[in-house]
């Protein structure tokens, strides 16, 4: 008997049919992947299982019994836990305090007991978290582990992970992936959402593919090639990976000299028109301050920052925090573009936003970047990947001549990732200077005409003749040597 069965689930949001007959069965103790394009309905489906979305039609069976799951609390009582993609921790509290917070505890569980269980789980899985550390001192990967421990300590036997690796650096993603089989060994059923086909083939037992709200196939992963998975998802072959634009030594466009802010020590770099300078590195090594100082949010401590070919636009990787205003519509978010430059006069008349023009501009971007949503739709209502596409559209809309792209494809499906990378190459070929800051090594290698690594606030150039995954990986861990 399946541990969980979702049958013929339908869900409509206004005019959007997010789910139109989705089926999913989880066998006890399996790692089950859900794969699908941005907006295919993956998050909606798992949110239905976790009591955050009420299906319009269909049924949910837990251990063969039909259940109404109307709240996360009910889901937890039934042994189902969800690790949100956007973390819900309270930064000012400690690891231990955060364990106790959040959705109310199931009635049978006392605080002391929960704490004891959490300690046990931390040891059992060797998760290395200090219970007394404040949550805001934790790196992203640690916060995620804390969320997992919270769920397990609450007795969760079905653990849903919605794009857990999207926010992780490669080494951290590898650590998370290696945790999954250990959970399975102890009987936990894992539902794993990811856009990375290699992750699915590496650790999952079965995969269900969603296309436009319907499940199109469920298959064992053994023997499946990544390319085959990609074909199911989009119904056609995937584009092959691209390579960096041919280097054109254009005019200097951005120059940083001995730039210092807290978290960054003495950064020197010169970015030229027509090139993509890719900065690799594990999150937390200065990417945040570098992005903020380039965006003009963080004042320069000492040194200089010159934008020699304005305008400069920043495409932020943290779309929920700095990328979008979630309460505004798609159109309004596009109008907010700092680099609006050329489009500005068209959009405003006598200081007022012209809504007809806004609509037109929005429709153009929606079509060009294949965003699934109408101009009036609130950004909050977009799927994660479609929010990311909106960020990309916004940053590129002002025709920047210096473009700082921070994890530009985070959360994008395979096809959209390829499209955004090609767009960045195209911008460089057209003469823009692109500074890519990315935790994704594939991205760095596919885009960078030059590659640097950021480690503990310092930048090291990768020697062109040693431009390999191994070499960059070493530098990312500070094992550069000579
Ligand atoms: N609260 C909501 N209001 C309106 N529309 C919504 C809401 N939640 C989801 N949608 C829409 O439902 C569709 C499916 O969204 P969902 O978040 O499930 O996609 P997804 O497969 O998780 O995509 P991604 O890979 O981008 O995360 C999208 O078109 C999205 O815009
Ligand atoms: Mg999603």
């Amino acid at each position: 008997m399946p541990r969980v069965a979702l049958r013929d689930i339908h869900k409509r949001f206004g005019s959007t049919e997010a789910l139109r007959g989705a089926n999913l069965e989880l066998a006890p103790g399996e790692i089950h992947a859900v794969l699908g394009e941005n907006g295919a309905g993956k998050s909606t489906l798992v949110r239905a299982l976790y009591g955050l979305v009420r299906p319009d039609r269909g049924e949910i069976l837990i251990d063969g019994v039909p259940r109404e799951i109307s709240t996360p609390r009910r889901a937890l009582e039934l042994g189902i836990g969800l690790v949100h993609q956007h973390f819900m921790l309270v930064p000012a509290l400690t690891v231990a305090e955060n364990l106790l917070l959040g959705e109310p505890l199931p009635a049978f569980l006392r605080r002391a007991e929960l704490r004891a269980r959490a300690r046990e789980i931390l040891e059992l899985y060797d998760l290395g978290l200090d219970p007394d550390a404040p949550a805001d001192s934790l790196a992203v990967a640690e916060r995620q582990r804390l969320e997992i421990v919270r769920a397990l300590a609450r007795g969760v036997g079905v653990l849903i992970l919605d794009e857990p690796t999207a926010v992780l650096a490669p080494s951290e993603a590898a650590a998370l992936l290696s945790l999954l089989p250990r959970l399975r060994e102890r009987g936990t059923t894992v539902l794993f959402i990811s856009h990375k086909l290699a992750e699915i083939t590496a650790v999952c037992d079965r995969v269900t593919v969603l296309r436009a709200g319907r499940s199109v196939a469920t298959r064992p992963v053994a023997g499946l090639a990544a390319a085959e998975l990609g074909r199911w998802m989009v119904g056609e072959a995937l584009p092959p990976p691209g390579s960096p634009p041919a280097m054109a030594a254009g005019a200097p466009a951005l120059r940083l000299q001995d730039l210092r802010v807290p978290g960054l020590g003495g950064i020197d770099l010169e970015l030229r028109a027509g090139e993509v300078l890719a900065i690799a590195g594990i999150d937390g090594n200065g990417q945040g301050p570098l992005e903020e100082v380039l965006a003009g949010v963080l004042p320069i401590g000492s040194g200089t920052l010159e934008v020699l070919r304005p305008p400069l636009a920043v495409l932020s990787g943290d779309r929920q925090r700095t990328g979008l205003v979630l309460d505004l519509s798609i159109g309004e978010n596009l109008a907010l573009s700092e680099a609006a430059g050329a489009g500005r006069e068209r959009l405003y008349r006598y200081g007022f936003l012209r809504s007809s023009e806004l609509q037109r501009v929005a429709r153009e971007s929606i079509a060009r970047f294949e965003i699934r949503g109408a101009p009036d739709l609130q950004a909050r209502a977009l799927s994660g990947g479609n929010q990311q596409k909106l960020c990309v559209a916004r940053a590129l809309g002002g025709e920047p001549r210096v473009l700082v792209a921070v994890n530009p494809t985070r959360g994008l499906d395979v096809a959209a990732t390829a499209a955004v990378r090609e767009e960045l190459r195209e911008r460089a070929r057209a003469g823009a200077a692109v500074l890519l800051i990315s935790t994704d090594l594939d991205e760095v290698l596919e885009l960078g005409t030059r590659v640097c690594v950021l480690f503990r606030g310092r930048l090291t150039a990768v020697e062109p003749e040693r431009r390999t995954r191994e070499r960059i990986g070493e530098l990312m861990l500070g094992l550069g040597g000579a």
Side-chain angles (χ1 to χ4, degrees), residues 13 16 18 37-44 163 195 381-386:
F13 297 103
T16 308
E37 290 185 281
N38 293 131
K42 305 176 297 294
S43 294
T44 305
E163 290 190 51
H195 288 295
L382 286 172
S383 80
N386 280 292

Side-chain angles (χ1 to χ4, degrees), residues 352-479:
F352 291 101
L353 199 56
R354 298 168 63 187
S355 71
S356 61
E357 191 57 21
L358 183 67
Q359 288 268 339
R360 199 186 58 71
V361 170
R363 265 195 299 274
E364 232 173 65
S365 289
I366 287 170
R368 172 143 159 250
F369 294 95
E370 297 182 14
I371 300 169
R372 284 194 54 181
D376 294 329
L377 189 70
Q378 252 194 359
R380 187 183 301 286
L382 286 172
S383 80
N386 280 292
Q387 287 179 3
Q388 181 66 10
K389 290 186 202 172
L390 179 55
C391 287
V392 173
R394 202 178 75 164
L396 296 179
E399 306 289 331
R401 293 202 294 172
V402 179
L403 177 64
V404 179
V406 189
N407 291 314
T409 62
R410 183 170 273 179
L412 292 186
D413 65 43
V414 185
T417 295
V420 167
R421 288 182 187 162
E422 185 49 31
E423 179 79 33
L424 294 178
R425 276 185 217 107
E426 194 46 52
R427 292 298 165 120
R429 281 185 214 112
V434 180
L435 183 66
L436 171 74
I437 304 174
S438 179
T439 53
D440 183 333
L441 250 170
D442 293 319
E443 182 152 277
V444 163
L445 290 168
E446 267 192 47
L447 287 177
T449 43
R450 280 193 288 148
V451 178
C452 292
V453 173
L454 192 58
F455 178 72
R456 297 210 178 131
R458 296 190 165 273
L459 214 50
T460 308
V462 176
E463 311 83 337
E465 69 282 4
R466 296 182 73 184
R467 188 191 153 111
T468 60
R469 300 184 73 85
E470 293 66 35
R471 176 63 182 157
I472 299 174
E474 271 173 20
L475 291 169
M476 283 167 72
L477 294 169
L479 306 172

Side-chain angles (χ1 to χ4, degrees), residues 211-235:
R211 198 190 300 163
R214 282 200 188 91
S215 35
V216 293
T218 295
R219 296 276 192 283
V221 166
L224 265 185
E228 203 170 340
L229 275 175
R231 261 197 307 277
W232 272 343
M233 182 171 66
V234 294

Side-chain angles (χ1 to χ4, degrees), residues 311 339-347 397-399:
R344 196 162 203 94
E345 299 87 66
R346 279 192 283 128
L347 276 179
E399 306 289 331

Side-chain angles (χ1 to χ4, degrees), residues 235-246:
E236 55 193 84
L238 296 171
S243 44

